[in-house]
Amino acid sequence: MKAVAIKAFGGPEGLSVVDLPDPEPGAGEVLIAVEAIGVGGVDALIRSGALSAWGFREGLVPGSEVAGTVVAVGPETDRAWIGQRVWAFTGLGGGYAEQATAAVEDVVPLPPGHSAAGSVTLGSSGVVAHFGLAHAHFRPGESVLVRGAAGSIGILAVHLAARGGASAVAVTTSSAARGELLREVGATHVLDRSGAGAGPPAYDVIIDVVAGPDVPSFLGRLRPNGRLVAVGAVAGPPPDGLGTALMANFRKSLSFATFSADTVPAADRRTVRAAQFAAAAQGQVPTVIHEQLPLDDAVVAHLRMQDGEVFGRIVLTT
């Protein structure tokens, strides 16, 4: 089968199209003929070599979410899966390929009318946005700032906060054009990347996809009892002085937390994904595709992300 592997850590040019043996599903797994592959920020981090200390090695096929049709099952796996169109989480690798395996607990059937490409903009990001807001104890009537809102996680966090009754939903983004697109999914105020612009003076909840060195300055934008939850770290970890910034605001009783969907029980993730896929099929949840490219153009996809102008998600197709 055709796949894309990381031949050398570094820039997008380190990705290469390769021929690999067809994978075989193990016990409790399905084999999927892939139609669409979501290209995510974590793929770029792995490709760069930034996560090599966590065991990622050159030669890896990146990609964590795919959609397509189940064509085979492994031992001790219900054969009723065969022929079903599904979304699947493949782990932290294996997705950039014509075929991929996934554990049954990480597979969700797609409802009629929901496209494979649309599902890979929503399957992982929607869960992070949903449970990230829950982790922040967001309540109707509270104000929310989504930092780094132009990616698929941010877009869905904006939509879910607005639908959940937020009094205001501010966003940080890189351009006025992106800001107008974010208003279409529920943003009420558009700020620049630094947080400058017309918006509420402070927020009850900040959902942060960016992290990096500016986290302390955004802590200062929280109201008393405010909560900042980092659901991503595209700009790297917060600085060493984060604890100092929290203590400097001691009398405001602020909270900083990280959130990973890995801490959510698999059954709960499946329930939310199934509900979001059904809502998306009815046009009630946005699935924003920046561009669809063939699998052979994985390098182009990563160059697009590197340029920082992607709105939504790039999807690779087979």
Side-chain angles (χ1 to χ4, degrees):
M1 70 170 183
K2 182 193 298 181
V4 172
I6 302 170
K7 301 297 284 187
F9 284 141
E13 65 280 358
L15 296 171
S16 180
V17 178
V18 297
D19 287 318
L20 295 176
D22 293 347
E24 295 187 7
E29 292 184 337
V30 301
L31 176 66
I32 300 163
V34 174
E35 300 171 30
I37 304 147
V39 179
V42 69
D43 302 344
L45 283 173
I46 292 170
R47 182 217 71 226
S48 73
L51 301 182
S52 59
W54 279 264
F56 296 101
R57 298 289 178 263
E58 292 177 345
L60 173 76
V61 173
S64 63
E65 63 180 314
V66 303
T69 301
V70 176
V71 293
V73 298
E76 305 172 17
T77 309
D78 188 350
R79 293 185 59 81
W81 281 107
I82 296 175
Q84 291 198 51
R85 294 184 67 254
V86 300
W87 172 94
F89 175 68
T90 62
L92 291 176
Y96 287 19
E98 293 178 318
Q99 297 186 64
T101 59
V104 167
E105 68 176 14
D106 291 323
V107 177
V108 179
L110 294 180
H114 190 44
S115 70
S119 74
V120 296
T121 73
L122 179 58
S124 290
S125 299
V127 160
V128 172
H130 174 93
F131 287 106
L133 284 164
H135 200 67
H137 302 286
F138 164 67
R139 297 181 295 272
E142 292 189 316
S143 56
V144 177
L145 169 63
V146 180
R147 183 175 175 230
S152 54
I153 293 174
I155 290 168
L156 289 160
V158 169
H159 171 78
L160 293 175
R163 194 174 72 181
S167 60
V169 183
V171 296
T172 69
T173 189
S174 61
S175 70
R178 283 177 158 197
E180 289 308 308
L181 292 171
L182 287 163
R183 288 185 188 278
E184 292 178 8
V185 296
T188 57
H189 300 80
V190 177
L191 314 177
D192 68 16
R193 282 179 171 173
S194 72
Y203 302 89
D204 298 294
V205 170
I206 298 177
I207 299 296
D208 190 350
V209 187
V210 182
D214 293 332
V215 170
S217 69
F218 280 90
L219 283 172
R221 294 173 176 270
L222 288 171
R223 293 167 54 87
N225 299 305
R227 295 86 69 195
L228 187 155
V229 176
V231 299
V234 296
D240 292 340
L242 177 61
T244 300
L246 279 169
M247 294 304 291
N249 288 281
F250 187 89
R251 296 181 66 189
K252 292 174 68 177
S253 301
L254 304 183
S255 299
F256 170 84
T258 59
F259 172 74
S260 167
D262 290 344
T263 59
V264 178
D268 293 343
R269 295 196 301 264
R270 286 197 302 273
T271 297
V272 168
R273 282 182 178 127
Q276 290 181 340
F277 288 155
Q282 299 297 317
Q284 298 169 358
V285 172
T287 55
V288 181
I289 299 171
H290 180 83
E291 187 175 11
Q292 294 189 54
L293 296 167
L295 179 60
D296 288 359
D297 285 346
V299 169
V300 176
H302 279 240
L303 286 169
R304 297 272 199 277
M305 288 199 298
Q306 187 170 276
D307 290 342
E309 294 304 319
V310 173
F311 184 80
R313 174 151 288 193
I314 293 179
V315 176
L316 298 175
T317 58
T318 60

